[in-house]
Amino acid sequence: MNCPKWVIDALYILIGCLCVALSIAVFLMPHQIAAGGPPGLAVLANHLFNISPGLMILGVNASLILLGWHSLGMKFLIRTLVAVVLIALMTDGLIFWLKDLTLSHDRFLSALYAGVFLGAGVGLLFKGGGSSGGWAILARLIADRTNITVGQSAAMLDAGIVVLSALVFRDLEAALLGGITVFIAGRVIDGVLTVQPSVLLVNITSRHANELRAVIDAQFGIQGTVIQCDAADSPGEKDLLHLSLDRRHLKTLKTMIEAQAPDAYVTIADAVGVMGRR
């Protein structure tokens, strides 16, 4: 029985919120590491004014959402609002219940783990059709009114928080650790959102392309496409066989090519994405 998509999206959002809250409450707050975005502002505000981190996250994100609500779809807006409220509640709840818990006394390790949890949380929220709020809206508004790209705007805003943390905490190391957290979080977000397909794109140039296609069809049920062309390095035709193949079958394919088409020139690439049925 297939699980409804809305249930899967809800699980992504719930787990994503928990990961972001854990990053703030367990790793960033105890070691006074201010990564970029509202979580970084929450750490700074708590240190300067003793403001609840959850309340600060909710206030900053709600303001940003109101600032750019017209550019967000209704479904995305609602899911983002739900995520922001959950992150705020979970963050304050974890700080209250885990106030005596210290997983690591090493600030560097805490910065690394904070980046992993923060990146995983944001990535899962995006997969669930929402977001954690943050600089995305403000960066988009800046980009619309200047020649600065969204990515550059977000990077400058994050850098501003990191630099500000050095002044607030009077600790250059805190700023360096915040930069590490931001970097790790970005890489983890990419990893969560970019799942490598198991499909390879294979191009085989050979004078035996048609015969090879028949053998591949009999073995894998993949017909492929033969494109007739002239060889650039030698006289006569040398056809191109283009096909997509499951990564698990690559070794078998190479053995078949060596046996059926010893003159073949083969190029293999990862498919960025796959859709439709074969």
Side-chain angles (χ1 to χ4, degrees):
M1 181 178 177
N2 292 329
C3 190
K5 187 177 184 302
W6 69 268
V7 174
I8 297 174
D9 288 345
L11 287 174
Y12 278 142
I13 290 174
L14 185 62
I15 297 172
C17 290
L18 181 59
C19 287
V20 174
L22 281 169
S23 172
I24 300 168
V26 178
F27 298 107
L28 296 178
M29 290 289 300
H31 296 283
Q32 294 186 332
I33 300 172
L41 285 176
V43 174
L44 296 178
N46 179 261
H47 176 76
L48 290 173
F49 310 110
N50 200 30
I51 297 175
S52 159
L55 184 61
M56 188 67 183
I57 289 171
L58 181 61
V60 172
N61 279 315
S63 301
L64 291 173
I65 290 171
L66 289 175
L67 189 64
W69 68 270
H70 59 278
S71 63
L72 303 174
M74 185 55 64
K75 181 192 287 188
F76 182 81
L77 176 64
I78 292 173
R79 293 186 180 188
T80 298
L81 284 171
V82 170
V84 167
V85 172
L86 285 176
I87 290 171
L89 293 174
M90 288 180 177
T91 299
D92 282 352
L94 288 171
I95 290 173
F96 177 78
W97 290 106
L98 305 177
K99 55 186 174 183
D100 296 325
L101 176 65
T102 302
L103 294 182
S104 173
H105 295 284
D106 189 315
R107 296 182 79 192
F108 179 72
L109 280 179
S110 294
L112 291 179
Y113 280 111
V116 171
F117 276 92
L118 184 61
V122 173
L124 289 172
L125 284 167
F126 277 125
K127 291 190 74 170
S131 81
S132 61
W135 294 141
I137 300 168
L138 185 58
R140 185 186 299 176
L141 293 175
I142 293 173
D144 289 342
R145 290 162 174 76
T146 65
N147 292 325
I148 302 173
T149 67
V150 174
Q152 291 171 340
S153 301
M156 287 190 296
L157 291 167
D158 282 336
I161 298 298
V162 170
V163 172
L164 184 60
S165 71
L167 301 176
V168 171
F169 296 129
R170 297 181 181 180
D171 181 3
L172 181 59
E173 185 180 86
L176 296 175
L177 292 171
I180 290 173
T181 299
V182 171
F183 177 81
I184 296 296
R187 302 289 77 75
V188 174
I189 291 171
D190 289 342
V192 171
L193 295 178
T194 308
V195 179
Q196 185 183 41
S198 61
V199 175
L200 298 172
L201 299 179
V202 182
N203 289 319
I204 306 167
T205 305
S206 171
R207 290 189 172 87
H208 308 282
N210 279 299
E211 295 89 336
L212 184 60
R213 179 175 64 170
V215 175
I216 291 173
D217 184 18
Q219 177 74 25
F220 302 120
I222 303 170
Q223 292 185 346
T225 302
V226 174
I227 303 171
Q228 293 184 347
C229 51
D230 293 328
D233 57 346
S234 60
E237 288 188 350
K238 189 180 256 189
D239 297 333
L240 172 67
L241 171 59
H242 174 79
L243 55 91
S244 57
L245 182 80
D246 191 296
R247 189 182 301 274
R248 296 171 299 174
H249 299 150
L250 181 59
K251 185 175 180 180
T252 304
L253 176 66
K254 287 181 177 179
T255 302
M256 293 169 59
I257 293 173
E258 290 173 356
Q260 300 293 328
D263 68 323
Y265 178 78
V266 184
T267 57
I268 303 167
D270 288 320
V272 175
V274 178
M275 64 181 294
R277 292 192 172 187
R278 186 170 60 193

